[in-house]
Amino acid sequence: MKIIVFFFFLVISVISDNAGCISTSKINSNAVTLKDAFKDAFLIGAALNAAQIQEKEPNAAALVPLQFNAVTPENIMKAEIIHPKWDTYNFDLADKIVAYGEKYRMKVNGHTLIWHSQLPSFVKTMNDADSLRQYFTSHINTVAGRYNGKIFSWDVVNEALEEDGSLRKSIFLQKLGEGYVVEAFRLAQKAAPQTELYYNDYNIEQPKKRAGVLALVKKIQEAGVRIDGVGIQGHWRAYNIPLKEIEESIIAFSALGVKVMFTELDLGVLPNPWDADAADVNMKAEYNAKMNPYQQGLPDSMQAKLSDGYEALFKLFLKHKYKISRVTFWGVNDGQSWLNGWPIAGRTNYPLLFDRNFKPKPAYDAVIALKK
Ligand code: XIL
């Protein structure tokens, strides 16, 4: 009898060990994944780098189709890559992400048509307005036209606003005037009638910048031009997420009849040199060891903050699931995140749900647990 009881407990303990293993550290084909857990709520996306688009990274190649049903190219559709010279377009990798989306039935979001950063040098150095207008028109016509109906959506204009909600003093504003945002959507609508059209920006949960977005969206709508959604980038700090403001923006944007998306989500755990939320890729600060405290690993206390932060955010997203159409992470795993290099080069950050070995982190479990 004693022997039978002993074997009974042995079997039970082996079963429960395995169960624990599945939920915390390994994804197997039976485990619930992000895209399945949230399928009744919103799409779950990831930004892919060039290697991932080409399935050159075996771990990412296996994980991405399992976990995500939407993808955004992290860089390869930006003007400096897709349109490096007046008459030279580089569609190779953009075509590949379209094929990738078809292969795995994922929604592809084009990022981005009109943005002041990562512009090709022939545009950066342009002096006359006529040339810029010619670039602007042919860029939108050619790029948006090529992928009409082949990609699901475009970030037509990215980051057109200053923190106070006024139009950013970009080359586009300076040379083309205030009407350029409406004009970009008008051209995109014509070139890509079967693709959804979005405005995308960071810090637009903050009241002044939010008001700027509301004014822009109304201006586009009043001009009789189509805008389908607003993307809130979502580069926040795990220990300082502006939940109240985020909720207010979800409600305010959706009241204009457009979809709301979280398009570039990552929660940094490192100190910010300006103690502020920002995502301007042109901002840079000097390295010093104090600004890179977790080189050897993330302490449990910060791991817990990250997990709690993601849990609170996804709770909010679920509360507003009828207004939110997609939540996209800006990267697949921590090791590949742009936040290791921005705004200070050479740091070790931990902003995503998968660690450097593609293992789901406690934050992943916390997010999945909301749907159990
Ligand atoms: C970042 C990329 O992740 C980096 O690889 C690149 O060096 C700079 O741009 N807002 C955006 C994204 O809209 O395109 C930016 O992506 C991050 C901030």
Side-chain angles (χ1 to χ4, degrees):
M1 180 65 187
K2 264 189 189 156
I3 291 175
I4 293 172
V5 170
F6 171 77
F7 274 112
F8 176 75
F9 280 108
L10 191 71
V11 168
I12 291 296
S13 94
V14 167
I15 289 171
S16 57
D17 266 348
N18 281 341
C21 185
I22 287 165
S23 70
T24 55
S25 61
K26 263 191 213 138
I27 296 292
N28 73 15
S29 47
N30 300 322
V32 176
T33 64
L34 290 168
K35 68 170 185 184
D36 294 331
F38 293 95
K39 69 170 180 289
D40 68 333
F42 30 72
L43 296 165
I44 299 280
L48 300 188
N49 64 28
Q52 291 162 345
I53 291 167
Q54 298 170 87
E55 301 189 76
K56 283 188 176 162
E57 239 180 52
N59 284 326
L63 184 130
V64 173
L66 216 55
Q67 293 286 344
F68 303 100
N69 46 22
V71 285
T72 300
E74 185 179 3
N75 285 302
I76 57 95
M77 277 184 164
K78 292 173 180 171
E80 70 176 356
I81 297 179
I82 208 167
H83 189 177
K85 298 202 181 107
W86 261 118
D87 293 315
T88 309
Y89 288 88
N90 214 335
F91 290 125
D92 185 36
L93 287 170
D95 288 354
K96 289 213 163 90
I97 199 169
V98 172
Y100 185 97
E102 272 167 18
K103 180 170 168 191
Y104 295 110
R105 298 217 211 127
M106 291 173 170
K107 297 239 170 14
V108 178
N109 176 58
H111 178 76
T112 172
L113 289 170
I114 296 300
W115 186 30
H116 64 283
S117 292
Q118 294 183 264
L119 279 171
S121 47
F122 83 96
V123 177
K124 279 195 250 175
T125 53
M126 245 172 216
N127 283 320
D128 64 301
D130 282 350
S131 299
L132 189 67
R133 193 167 293 283
Q134 205 183 318
Y135 157 78
F136 185 88
T137 308
S138 57
H139 182 75
I140 297 175
N141 284 344
T142 309
V143 181
R146 181 178 181 92
Y147 298 111
N148 175 36
K150 294 199 174 133
I151 60 172
F152 182 72
S153 52
W154 268 113
D155 294 333
V156 177
V157 176
N158 196 32
E159 303 180 352
L161 294 168
E162 304 276 2
E163 296 305 289
D164 68 0
S166 65
L167 279 178
R168 184 187 285 273
K169 282 142 208 81
S170 69
I171 184 171
F172 299 112
L173 179 70
Q174 277 156 356
K175 298 228 174 345
L176 306 181
E178 286 193 350
Y180 87 88
V181 177
V182 174
E183 194 50 28
F185 277 84
R186 197 193 304 277
L187 289 166
Q189 174 176 10
K190 200 154 172 247
Q194 289 153 297
T195 301
E196 297 203 349
L197 308 177
Y198 307 145
Y199 176 73
N200 194 53
D201 211 333
Y202 61 86
N203 281 358
I204 56 175
E205 68 282 355
Q206 296 304 330
K208 285 186 186 156
K209 217 165 168 181
R210 178 198 306 144
V213 175
L214 294 172
L216 258 189
V217 173
K218 282 187 198 149
K219 212 170 144 189
I220 296 166
Q221 292 173 332
E222 278 158 16
V225 174
R226 176 165 64 89
I227 172 166
D228 301 292
V230 172
I232 300 172
Q233 289 187 5
H235 301 290
W236 294 299
R237 290 168 290 167
Y239 47 88
N240 188 36
I241 307 172
L243 289 169
K244 176 175 161 280
E245 290 80 5
I246 295 170
E247 180 164 31
E248 287 165 359
S249 280
I250 296 172
I251 294 169
F253 297 153
S254 120
L256 294 182
V258 295
K259 295 179 177 180
V260 179
M261 279 140 293
F262 291 85
T263 52
E264 304 185 15
L265 183 58
D266 47 24
L267 299 180
V269 297
L270 298 180
N272 177 282
W274 307 282
D275 193 26
D277 287 315
D280 185 338
V281 297
N282 303 308
M283 286 165 86
K284 293 257 164 349
E286 281 291 303
Y287 181 90
N288 75 61
K290 254 194 19 222
M291 298 303 274
N292 191 19
Y294 309 131
Q295 268 173 287
Q296 307 310 326
L298 196 59
D300 288 347
S301 56
M302 194 45 98
Q303 192 76 266
K305 273 205 181 115
L306 183 71
S307 211
D308 292 351
Y310 267 116
E311 184 180 337
L313 252 185
F314 271 76
K315 253 192 199 151
L316 180 65
F317 295 165
L318 284 172
K319 179 175 171 196
H320 294 287
K321 67 179 182 185
Y322 297 113
K323 301 183 172 70
I324 297 171
S325 59
R326 169 166 57 90
V327 176
T328 290
F329 293 87
W330 204 243
V332 177
N333 86 11
D334 283 345
Q336 303 159 327
S337 164
W338 75 301
L339 293 178
N340 296 301
W342 182 92
I344 298 176
R347 296 201 295 178
T348 308
N349 211 332
Y350 301 81
L352 298 167
L353 297 188
F354 297 94
D355 72 13
R356 285 169 164 72
N357 298 314
F358 293 90
K359 291 246 164 68
K361 294 155 61 174
Y364 174 93
D365 295 331
V367 164
I368 290 275
L370 293 171
K371 292 295 285 179
K372 273 190 180 152

